[in-house]
């Protein structure tokens, strides 16, 4: 995993409220391999870490590219990128990691909302190179706010449908998803209302057809009851008590054990930890149903225990 200082070579505006960052190694060394759907942690300060999808070309090991939307209610990350970060600055990166990998399929339907186009971009290149049949439906507030829209239409033509809301209204999901399609993988990234609507529209599709990535925790996911339980750390031999008002991550860090962490909201996958025994109360927005059912990994920043005790590989 890359844990390195890169240089911001270029910062350019690519749509209203969206800047594209191009990062390179200061010594010209090749950057790590990554696959479509991957993201990195951008460490802006020690107390300010944000996750952004890689939107460049995985074949180009000389640079990494991230597109960052200025969030109206920014908690500091996007405003720092837009207002403080300048070309020539040193930028600390962690990753890449990938919980939104592009699986092999005969046909793909890509649905992007706003800045959710970023992880989709390299997927389109890969799908096109594989010879698969594919379609992109890309929605946004206005055409001017939709990054890469012109590039996509020029590059891929009729495979791409650009649907700004002020011209077309909301995306017509019933016509796109109303009838399940065989051997078709659906990939969706964007704001939570879009993801929730796509999930609802795909209820009759095969369970493994839909793949989503969230920029915010899934609503009501962490609203279940909170109980006290024990966590045994297999590597260190410690047993910790996790109280109702404490996360497993807080308990582990309180015991002096360092764990890689980032969002602490269950959306980035940084704190994913192997579970050796016990029943998990999954409250993350990363794992799919199959991974949850396996019961061998969890995000310790938000997920809890259904059993009285968990044994973690820490």
């Amino acid at each position: 995993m890359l844990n390195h200082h890169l240089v911001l070579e270029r910062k350019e505006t690519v749509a209203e409220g969206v800047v594209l960052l191009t990062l390179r190694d200061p010594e010209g060394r090749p950057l790590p391999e990554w696959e479509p759907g991957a993201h990195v942690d951008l460490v802006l300060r020690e107390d300010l870490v944000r996750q952004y999808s890689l939107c460049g070309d995985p074949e180009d090991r000389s640079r990494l590219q991230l597109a960052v939307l200025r969030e109206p209610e920014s908690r500091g990350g996007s405003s720092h990128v837009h207002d403080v970060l300048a070309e020539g600055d040193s930028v600390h990166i962690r990753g890449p990691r990938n919980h939104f990998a592009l699986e092999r399929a005969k046909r793909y339907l890509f649905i992007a909302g706003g800045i959710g186009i970023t992880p989709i971009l390299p997927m389109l290149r890969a799908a096109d190179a594989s010879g698969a049949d594919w379609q992109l439906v890309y929605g946004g507030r206005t055409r001017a706010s939709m990054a890469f829209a012109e590039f996509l239409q020029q590059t891929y033509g009729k495979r791409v449908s650009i649907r700004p809301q002020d011209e077309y209204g909301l995306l017509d999901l019933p016509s796109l998803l109303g009838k399940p399609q065989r051997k078709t993988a659906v990939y969706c990234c964007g704001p939570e209302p879009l993801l929730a609507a796509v999930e609802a529209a795909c209820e009759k599709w095969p369970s493994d057809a839909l793949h989503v990535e969230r920029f915010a925790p899934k609503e009501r996911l962490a609203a279940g009851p909170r109980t006290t339980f024990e966590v045994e750390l297999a590597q260190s031999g410690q047993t910790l008590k996790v109280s109702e008002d404490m996360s497993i991550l807080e308990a582990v860090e309180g015991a002096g054990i360092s764990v890689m962490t980032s969002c602490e909201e269950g959306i980035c996958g940084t704190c994913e930890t192997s579970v050796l025994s016990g029943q998990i109360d999954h409250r993350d927005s990363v794992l799919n149903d199959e991974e949850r059912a396996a019961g061998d990994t969890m995000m310790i920043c938000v997920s809890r225990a259904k059993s009285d005790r968990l044994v973690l590989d820490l």
Side-chain angles (χ1 to χ4, degrees):
M1 177 185 290
L2 175 68
N3 190 354
H4 196 64
H5 288 281
L6 305 181
V7 171
L8 177 58
E9 179 186 67
R10 191 174 181 191
K11 176 182 176 182
E12 56 188 309
T13 299
V14 291
E16 286 181 1
V18 180
V19 291
L20 178 66
L21 309 180
T22 299
L23 308 172
R24 293 188 186 272
D25 184 279
E27 306 297 325
R29 292 169 294 202
L31 297 173
E33 294 182 3
W34 60 277
E35 295 183 352
H39 70 269
V40 295
D41 294 341
L42 196 57
V43 184
L44 300 168
R45 295 193 308 262
E46 189 173 330
D47 62 340
L48 189 60
V49 182
R50 296 292 182 266
Q51 295 76 43
Y52 297 108
S53 298
L54 293 170
C55 62
D57 181 359
E59 299 298 318
D60 184 355
R61 301 281 302 281
S62 69
R63 64 182 185 173
L64 295 177
Q65 290 187 303
L66 320 168
V68 180
L69 169 70
R70 182 191 289 276
E71 298 284 356
E73 298 178 9
S74 173
R75 294 176 298 145
S78 70
S79 60
H80 185 101
V81 169
H82 279 257
D83 300 333
V84 179
L85 209 56
E87 291 180 357
D89 284 356
S90 179
V91 180
H92 185 193
I93 293 288
R94 295 196 309 234
R97 281 184 302 278
N98 200 341
H99 286 279
F100 193 43
L102 184 67
E103 298 182 3
R104 188 179 296 275
K106 187 173 182 179
R107 182 176 183 275
Y108 297 97
L109 172 58
F110 298 103
I111 303 173
I115 198 63
I117 191 63
T118 52
I120 301 292
L121 280 174
M123 292 185 178
L124 303 181
R125 186 182 288 107
D128 207 54
S130 75
D133 182 20
W134 64 269
Q135 175 188 6
L136 166 67
V137 179
Y138 177 17
R141 290 181 297 102
T142 64
R143 194 173 292 269
S145 72
M146 298 170 66
F148 313 111
E150 186 176 341
F151 161 80
L152 288 166
Q153 284 198 310
Q154 290 178 350
T155 304
Y156 299 116
K158 293 182 179 180
R159 288 183 183 270
V160 174
S161 300
I162 305 297
R163 293 290 183 267
Q165 188 174 341
D166 64 341
E167 297 177 32
Y168 293 90
L170 296 175
L171 295 182
D172 187 3
L173 298 180
S175 67
L176 284 171
L177 302 168
K179 184 178 180 181
Q181 301 170 43
R182 294 181 64 249
K183 299 182 179 179
T184 299
V186 180
Y187 279 80
C188 180
C189 186
E192 183 59 31
L194 172 64
L195 298 182
V198 168
E199 287 176 330
C202 283
E203 282 185 355
K204 294 182 180 179
W205 285 60
S207 59
D208 60 350
L210 177 60
H211 309 263
V212 302
E213 181 169 62
R214 288 182 151 80
F215 293 141
K218 194 170 182 178
E219 292 178 4
R220 299 183 300 278
L221 208 58
R226 298 172 70 91
T227 60
T228 297
F229 55 93
E230 287 186 342
V231 170
E232 179 184 336
L233 309 182
Q235 292 183 30
S236 66
Q238 297 184 64
T239 297
L240 310 176
K241 182 179 179 181
V242 181
S243 60
E244 297 173 18
D245 60 350
M246 176 187 296
S247 69
I248 296 175
L249 175 63
E250 289 170 334
V252 169
E253 290 184 331
I257 296 173
S258 178
V259 178
M260 187 77 80
T261 182
S262 183
C263 75
E264 299 189 18
E265 294 182 305
I267 58 173
C268 74
T270 306
C271 69
E272 184 171 5
T273 301
S274 295
V275 179
L276 304 179
S277 70
Q279 291 183 295
I280 307 165
D281 179 5
H282 290 289
R283 302 189 182 195
D284 67 275
S285 301
V286 177
L287 300 176
N288 60 34
D289 290 343
E290 185 177 326
E291 291 166 332
R292 290 167 185 256
D296 56 6
T297 187
M298 71 185 299
M299 308 303 156
I300 61 173
C301 64
V302 292
S303 295
R304 303 184 66 78
K306 289 183 178 177
S307 53
D308 294 331
R309 187 183 186 90
L310 291 175
V311 181
L312 305 181
D313 190 15
L314 288 173

